[in-house]
Amino acid sequence: MTELHERTAVELRDLLRDGSLAPTDVVEHYLKRVAAGNAAVGALTLVTADAARERAAVLERERDAGALVDDCPDDDAVLWGLPSADKDLWDRAGVPTGFGSRAFAGRHAYVPEVSSDVVQVLDAAGTVSLGRTAAPELGFPAYTEMLAGPPARNPWDLGRGAGGSSGGAGAAVAAGLLPFAPGSDGGGSIRIPAAACGLVGLKPTRGLLPAGSGVDSLGGLVVAGPLARTTADAALLLEGMLPRRGDGTVDHPLTLRTAAGERGGYLAAAQRGEAPDGRRRFHLAVSTFSAWDGFYDVPAGPEARAALDAAVAGLGALGHGIDEPAWEPDAAYAPAFRTIWMAGASTVRVDDPERLALLEPLTRWLVDAGRRVSARQLAEALAALARFERTMVARVERFDAVVTPALAMTPRPLGWFDAEDPERNFEQQCQYTPYTSMINVCGLPAITVPVTWTEPTASAPAGLPMGVQLVGRPGGEHVLLALAAQLEERLRWSERRPPVW
């Protein structure tokens, strides 16, 4: 008999829908997985087992009372009964939010009374939260090695990190502790851990999701999105993060929004490998361009190049047209992005000296620098990034998608990032992941997928995953999902399992 964690989220959804499984069965299985495997990977910082069991039981009672129509694909609770977890930057009423920080622990603990919008949306879609996935301090680093708790370890090599800031989510899914997981992405925080852990990670277009839309964050950088083992599972979670009205339109409270596809359309694109208009062949660009070029030394390493070459070869064999445009960097990008990143840190809800002293060196540097940014500096930085956005969107719109490396290096060893020198630390993060933050600035959709694995070593007997990033036009999630599905069918990455599995 196939173990439940071996099944995809789509398979689990179908079994829950037809009554072959009950939410309590699935939740209990995954709670056992977490109990057995979480200590090794540090994926969840808090496990709310009792609340999860009660939630699963409530869902079953509601179904038995007729609140859910079985086998109805138009039912709003598209993720009914599926286990998930909340990133430790999001609020869940009555559950402590740690923000990955010692400044929010112990007597400084924060217990919210109201859940974050994204948590409410996932609850309405029918998920069962098993607890909190690890995040680095306040979500700023591209790695999850906080002083407030154990690091999120890479399931492919426990001596390496799972990436960040959705590192706990990536570790949990890759280790089979969750079928999928939601994350947030302000500079690559979904795509980085997905790439490091051999998963699919999707950053949606700015304004697509009502919750975690990006339009309410400084510079429009931060959006929510899915991490999953398969393209279809990522699409399924995306569907659940789009709350629908009875007529199928998205219940979106903001005036600035990206039009969503029809109900079920994202999952269909991922399952069929084609766009809604039936196209399976696309015009692609391949590039190693980074907006950090010229400011930091950010070359793609040999493993990153090998993954890119393998992806391009596979896409070419599938019949896609491929160009290699030459793009020049914008010298204003790097200082403007640094200003925005620091200004965002200035709003951290820590002001008294005692708690400020509890912040890690990188975070304290960002907070201090951000609080020195003048209104004029901030306005000029926003204007510079807006100009970069217009330029980059015009470049991307010539193609159906642009293929870049996902990461410039293999997943980094634990302790690799400088813990004492924040300036050096920031540079290292840009060197590790130079292809992601510029996509947040532009508000474009992007998906990372695994392509190759490095040669086995003693610490990584199955090798380390390396992948590519596919960047789409505004609202181009269907094409990205179709391309990812085609690559998945060809490369069969979802059949690989890390040693801790």
Side-chain angles (χ1 to χ4, degrees):
M1 178 179 177
T2 303
E3 293 275 7
L4 293 186
H5 61 278
E6 295 283 355
R7 296 189 177 275
T8 68
V10 171
E11 290 172 338
L12 291 174
R13 180 212 50 181
D14 292 343
L15 292 169
L16 285 162
R17 288 272 172 149
D18 69 17
S20 299
L21 285 176
T24 50
D25 299 328
V26 181
V27 167
E28 204 60 50
H29 177 84
Y30 275 96
L31 285 174
K32 290 179 181 177
R33 289 284 297 176
V34 170
N38 188 54
V41 294
L44 279 76
T45 60
L46 177 67
V47 180
T48 52
D50 291 343
R53 293 185 177 105
E54 177 55 30
R55 163 76 166 162
V58 167
L59 291 177
E60 290 185 26
R61 290 196 295 269
E62 289 176 347
R63 179 195 59 189
D64 295 341
L68 180 78
V69 180
D70 289 343
D71 299 319
C72 176
D74 291 335
D75 180 68
D76 289 338
V78 295
L79 307 178
W80 187 80
L82 289 170
S84 180
D86 308 321
K87 187 174 180 178
D88 196 27
L89 305 180
W90 300 335
D91 290 347
R92 176 172 290 278
V95 178
T97 308
F99 300 103
S101 176
R102 297 174 298 174
F104 291 89
R107 62 191 182 89
H108 302 300
Y110 165 63
V111 181
E113 297 181 0
V114 179
S115 298
S116 298
D117 288 348
V118 65
V119 170
Q120 294 183 43
V121 167
L122 289 165
D123 285 351
T127 62
V128 180
S129 176
L130 304 191
R132 294 201 166 280
T133 54
E137 188 165 60
L138 298 159
F140 289 110
Y143 59 99
T144 307
E145 301 172 35
M146 54 285 187
L147 295 178
R153 297 176 180 269
N154 196 311
W156 297 92
D157 180 347
L158 295 178
R160 295 176 182 260
S165 66
S166 303
V173 177
L177 310 187
L178 290 172
F180 52 28
S184 57
D185 190 318
S189 291
I190 289 170
R191 291 159 289 154
I192 296 165
C197 295
L199 304 173
V200 178
L202 174 63
K203 184 201 88 67
T205 306
R206 180 187 299 141
L208 176 66
L209 299 182
S213 62
V215 299
D216 54 356
S217 62
L218 185 61
L221 299 181
V222 183
V223 298
L227 297 92
R229 294 200 307 274
T230 72
T231 308
D233 285 356
L236 176 63
L237 182 48
L238 178 66
E239 297 277 3
M241 299 176 81
L242 285 163
R244 304 274 184 175
R245 302 185 182 94
D247 61 0
T249 60
V250 175
D251 186 11
H252 208 312
L254 302 168
T255 56
L256 178 60
R257 66 187 69 176
T258 296
E262 294 184 0
R263 190 196 303 265
Y266 298 106
L267 182 56
Q271 291 177 319
R272 298 171 187 165
E274 63 183 36
D277 60 6
R279 286 187 302 150
R280 294 183 58 86
R281 300 293 178 264
F282 302 102
H283 183 202
L284 308 179
V286 177
S287 178
T288 57
F289 168 81
S290 167
W292 295 100
D293 287 336
F295 191 84
Y296 292 131
D297 186 22
V298 289
E303 298 88 354
R305 291 292 325 199
L308 181 63
D309 291 345
V312 171
L315 291 165
L318 289 168
H320 300 289
I322 298 175
D323 288 343
E324 294 190 32
W327 294 332
E328 292 296 323
D330 181 346
Y333 176 89
F337 185 88
R338 283 165 56 98
T339 296
I340 296 298
W341 205 246
M342 292 169 174
S346 71
T347 62
V348 168
R349 292 174 292 177
V350 178
D351 293 299
D352 63 276
E354 179 187 356
R355 292 183 68 195
L356 282 170
L358 294 173
L359 296 179
E360 297 174 25
L362 173 68
T363 313
R364 181 63 185 270
W365 175 67
L366 290 170
V367 170
D368 289 345
R371 290 177 179 176
R372 293 193 299 269
V373 172
S374 69
R376 177 174 179 172
Q377 288 173 313
L378 179 57
E380 289 176 344
L382 288 168
L385 294 184
R387 289 191 295 271
F388 175 83
E389 176 184 349
R390 287 193 295 271
T391 299
M392 196 66 188
V393 170
R395 290 168 171 171
V396 172
E397 282 190 324
R398 294 177 49 213
F399 308 95
D400 291 304
V402 177
V403 189
T404 78
L407 301 172
M409 304 176 180
T410 57
R412 296 291 80 199
L414 294 173
W416 184 80
F417 294 96
D418 196 310
E420 300 300 328
D421 183 345
E423 186 69 67
R424 172 62 180 147
N425 183 299
F426 193 92
E427 180 181 6
Q428 288 176 307
Q429 293 185 63
C430 295
Q431 292 172 327
Y432 178 42
T433 176
Y435 310 106
T436 54
S437 68
M438 61 186 180
I439 309 305
N440 296 79
V441 167
C442 300
L444 294 170
I447 192 169
T448 52
V449 297
V451 175
T452 60
W453 267 254
T454 62
E455 290 297 319
T457 64
S459 61
L464 296 170
M466 294 298 295
V468 296
Q469 173 179 239
L470 306 170
V471 182
R473 296 166 174 157
E477 282 82 359
H478 293 95
V479 170
L480 298 183
L481 289 165
L483 284 165
Q486 292 178 21
L487 279 173
E488 180 177 352
E489 183 177 12
R490 183 177 183 85
L491 303 176
R492 310 186 74 84
W493 64 66
S494 62
E495 297 176 4
R496 288 180 176 262
R497 297 288 184 266
V500 300
W501 188 267

